[in-house]
Amino acid sequence: MNSPLLTVSGLAKRYRRGGKTIAAVDDVSFAIEPGETLALAGPSGSGKSTIARLVLRLIEPDAGRIQFEGDDFLALSGSALRARRARLQMVFQDPLAAFNPRATVARLLDDPLRIHGIASRAERPRRIAALLERVGLNADLAPRAIHEISGGQRQRIAIARAIATNPSLIVLDEAVSALDVSVRGDILNLLLDLQAKERIAYLFISHDLGVVRAIAHRVVILDAGRIAESGDARAVIGAPQSAIGKALVMATPKLHRTTAS
Ligand SMILES: Nc1ncnc2c1ncn2[C@@H]1O[C@H](COP(=O)(O)OP(=O)(O)OP(=O)(O)O)[C@@H](O)[C@H]1O
Ligand SMILES: [Mg+2]
């Protein structure tokens, strides 16, 4: 009964660049339980986004296995893959790059409801209003184009779109990194609130250990594609064991102040 939601084992992805092969992801294994937040942290180029893309099957691995909701996720295709994809959603750093900036809020939220056959045409406007409410936005935002609304509102729309298909797991790649500190706090609170209400698990990618400590139960610290250390987020950030973990904590000055009290 109590099997992990997502299990990644021995994941590897290499890229060729200028005659050299680089291991972007090298023998990475981890699991995420239902309703849990696992953070991936690490310096730029350590493989965080590559792992996100592999888990979402936007790219294929060179080696490794991905089990999601009990299935061999890499073996799924056709309608089985489409059905499973509804349960595994994503939120990226920049919604304007991920979506057509001229698309309206209503259109962005209508897409998943239509594509995954979640609601009839007649029902969808009501579902869109309900989604907006779940992410703390007013329904009168529906006709606006996303390039006209604020960065915080835009990221709420990205989250609304992600939860439209009733996912069990959302992959968030630097989803709050571009936001002002106060807006960032609001979005983190929204994510915590959704998780508490709906038991959604997050694979939360961030280079900011302050953010990781605020939202994650566990953390995996990556260094050049490999896992340097992992464990309870507060324990690892409070007393990192690896050289890269220590360096990341040192590079986050506000952590020293808050952990000292
Ligand atoms: N499509 C690609 N072609 C070639 N190399 C790539 C490609 N995608 C990623 N890489 C390389 O793989 C390594 C890992 O990149 P990745 O984007 O996963 O890092 P990251 O941890 O997300 O970094 P950042 O914090 O800057 O977002 C880097 O060396 C990167 O240059
Ligand atoms: Mg990245």
Side-chain angles (χ1 to χ4, degrees):
M1 274 319 283
N2 233 354
S3 61
L5 178 68
L6 177 83
T7 309
V8 163
S9 26
L11 205 61
K13 181 72 180 177
R14 292 178 290 275
Y15 286 113
R16 300 207 130 269
R17 223 170 30 197
K20 247 182 25 184
T21 301
I22 60 150
V25 175
D26 190 6
D27 195 20
V28 164
S29 304
F30 58 80
I32 304 180
E33 303 295 328
E36 183 189 35
T37 299
L38 177 74
L40 296 181
S44 185
S46 58
K48 305 182 296 295
S49 295
T50 305
I51 292 172
R53 289 196 282 270
L54 288 166
V55 166
L56 292 163
R57 276 195 71 179
L58 301 176
I59 56 174
E60 297 291 314
D62 294 312
R65 292 171 55 82
I66 299 174
Q67 293 259 128
F68 177 57
E69 292 190 327
D71 283 327
D72 178 354
F73 192 51
L74 296 172
L76 293 181
S77 63
S79 61
L81 176 61
R82 258 197 314 283
R84 201 54 86 190
R85 276 220 154 104
R87 304 280 293 157
L88 174 48
Q89 291 293 321
M90 66 203 98
V91 175
F92 293 116
Q93 176 166 353
D94 180 6
L96 283 185
F99 309 131
N100 175 356
R102 286 192 307 274
T104 62
V105 166
R107 178 58 199 263
L108 284 174
L109 299 182
D110 193 69
D111 282 345
L113 298 174
R114 189 186 70 249
I115 293 164
H116 289 284
I118 288 165
S120 69
R121 189 189 189 90
E123 216 187 313
R124 290 203 295 267
R126 208 156 18 91
R127 296 292 279 260
I128 290 168
L131 279 170
L132 287 169
E133 194 184 326
R134 274 161 79 193
V135 298
L137 292 174
N138 200 301
D140 64 15
L141 224 55
R144 305 271 297 275
I146 58 152
H147 74 84
E148 304 173 334
I149 64 178
S150 75
Q153 288 174 327
R154 233 175 256 145
Q155 210 51 306
R156 284 178 195 266
I157 298 299
I159 292 167
R161 186 170 150 114
I163 62 174
T165 60
N166 188 28
S168 58
L169 175 64
I170 303 179
V171 176
L172 300 110
D173 190 352
E174 305 284 4
V176 300
S177 305
L179 302 172
D180 292 346
V181 174
S182 69
V183 178
R184 178 181 304 165
D186 293 344
I187 298 292
L188 290 174
N189 283 331
L190 170 63
L191 291 170
L192 288 168
D193 196 45
L194 283 172
Q195 184 169 65
K197 284 188 186 136
E198 309 186 23
R199 209 158 173 255
I200 303 169
Y202 300 131
L203 178 59
F204 188 91
I205 294 175
S206 178
H207 63 275
D208 182 338
L209 289 184
V211 167
V212 168
R213 207 179 53 154
I215 193 155
H217 300 104
R218 289 185 302 123
V219 64
V220 167
I221 296 187
L222 295 160
D223 185 15
R226 298 188 69 93
I227 296 182
E229 65 180 301
S230 64
D232 176 85
R234 278 166 184 271
V236 168
I237 294 168
Q241 301 299 306
S242 65
I244 196 77
K246 288 175 186 165
L248 288 172
V249 168
M250 290 296 284
T252 317
K254 64 175 189 258
L255 277 179
H256 301 308
R257 279 209 300 280
T258 44
T259 45
S261 56

